[in-house]
Amino acid sequence: MGVASKLKDGLLSALCLFFIFGVGFVANMGQLLALVVLPFDRHLFRSISTWLGSAFLMSGPFLLEDWGGGKFSSYGEQAPPNAKVLVVTNHVTDMDWAGGLSYLTRFGEPFPGGAKAIAKNTLMHIPIFGWLTYFLEFMYIKRDWESDKHTLTKQANQLGTSRLPFALCLFPEGTRKTPKKHAQSQEFCKKNGYPVLNNLLYPRFKAFTLIAMTMRGCVIEFWLALRNG
């Protein structure tokens, strides 16, 4: 590849990222302006915020499939239409979010803006992404159960009042699977008499149990697998 081609690719990548973050910034501003209706009509605020969120979150499928040339295929039963679902998924790469959004986008409106997730509270402070997902009612936790159980209960009850379909994504493994973390997880299982898992980290059940009992909606198992070639 010549210098001219590299410069061209670099320029196109920069323009692409500039456009994505530009859309995110506009979505953030729109969500802030929509706050004026929140005290009077939460459903209207959610509808506006979800529509703006979709504009930005479409970057996930775009980067994975259109820009990256990846092919996404899903198998299994489809989610019920207009459902409020808890999506339980594995965590194998730093790009799992893009695969998840590609999956949810195939649900139709109001996705991908209807996507929610339980995530570390440090992500909430990331400009554009963190602010946008805060308004989309992502559940941010500190990984301190005594504090998190109250946060999750309150937010799950609030989210349960939504008249819009949504998918709340939960990673029971709690972190991305790596060889080191997998070995540590297997050692933990051996010491405590738990089943030793070959393909997953030993899951954490507290958040799943609390959310499932509070929301009482549909549960989807979504297993992400990567294939080269």
Side-chain angles (χ1 to χ4, degrees):
M1 182 182 293
V3 175
S5 296
K6 290 182 179 179
L7 288 174
K8 180 182 178 181
D9 290 344
L11 179 60
L12 288 175
S13 298
L15 289 173
C16 176
L17 291 174
F18 179 79
F19 176 76
I20 290 173
F21 283 103
V23 171
F25 177 77
V26 172
N28 279 168
M29 296 301 102
Q31 289 174 317
L32 284 172
L33 291 173
L35 285 174
V36 298
V37 305
L38 179 58
F40 311 103
D41 192 336
R42 180 175 288 273
H43 175 67
L44 177 58
F45 171 78
R46 279 178 170 145
S47 298
I48 295 171
S49 184
T50 298
W51 182 80
L52 291 168
S54 286
F56 177 71
L57 294 178
M58 277 300 297
S59 61
F62 169 75
L63 291 172
L64 178 66
E65 300 181 65
D66 299 291
W67 185 266
K71 294 182 180 180
F72 181 88
S73 300
S74 60
Y75 307 90
E77 296 182 8
Q78 293 185 348
N82 301 317
K84 301 174 182 179
V85 300
L86 174 61
V87 181
V88 182
T89 182
N90 58 332
H91 197 359
V92 291
T93 74
D94 289 329
M95 289 297 291
D96 289 351
W97 61 275
L101 289 174
S102 288
Y103 170 64
L104 293 176
T105 298
R106 286 160 168 78
F107 284 19
E109 293 185 4
F111 296 96
K116 323 289 180 188
I118 299 174
K120 294 182 292 185
N121 65 345
T122 51
L123 298 177
M124 182 173 58
H125 305 293
I126 298 176
I128 299 180
F129 175 81
W131 306 336
L132 182 131
T133 53
Y134 173 79
F135 287 123
L136 288 178
E137 298 180 275
F138 274 45
M139 298 183 185
Y140 285 105
I141 58 176
K142 300 177 181 178
R143 290 188 172 176
D144 172 11
W145 181 243
E146 290 305 312
S147 171
D148 291 339
K149 66 181 179 182
H150 298 295
T151 300
L152 291 174
T153 301
K154 178 182 177 180
Q155 292 185 313
N157 282 318
Q158 181 172 289
L159 192 58
T161 66
S162 176
R163 286 184 272 161
L164 295 174
F166 64 81
L168 176 61
C169 300
L170 171 65
F171 298 91
E173 294 169 291
T175 186
R176 181 171 56 89
K177 178 177 175 285
T178 65
K180 180 179 179 181
K181 292 175 182 176
H182 189 215
Q184 291 174 340
S185 176
Q186 289 184 321
E187 186 63 27
F188 170 81
C189 292
K190 292 175 183 177
K191 287 183 178 180
N192 291 276
Y194 299 145
V196 177
L197 306 180
N198 294 322
N199 299 305
L200 297 170
L201 304 181
Y202 191 76
R204 305 177 185 189
F205 296 103
K206 291 180 180 178
F208 169 79
T209 303
L210 188 151
I211 294 294
M213 292 182 66
T214 303
M215 287 179 41
R216 297 185 180 276
C218 173
V219 178
I220 293 177
E221 288 185 79
F222 173 64
W223 299 103
L224 186 65
L226 305 177
R227 182 176 65 183
N228 294 324

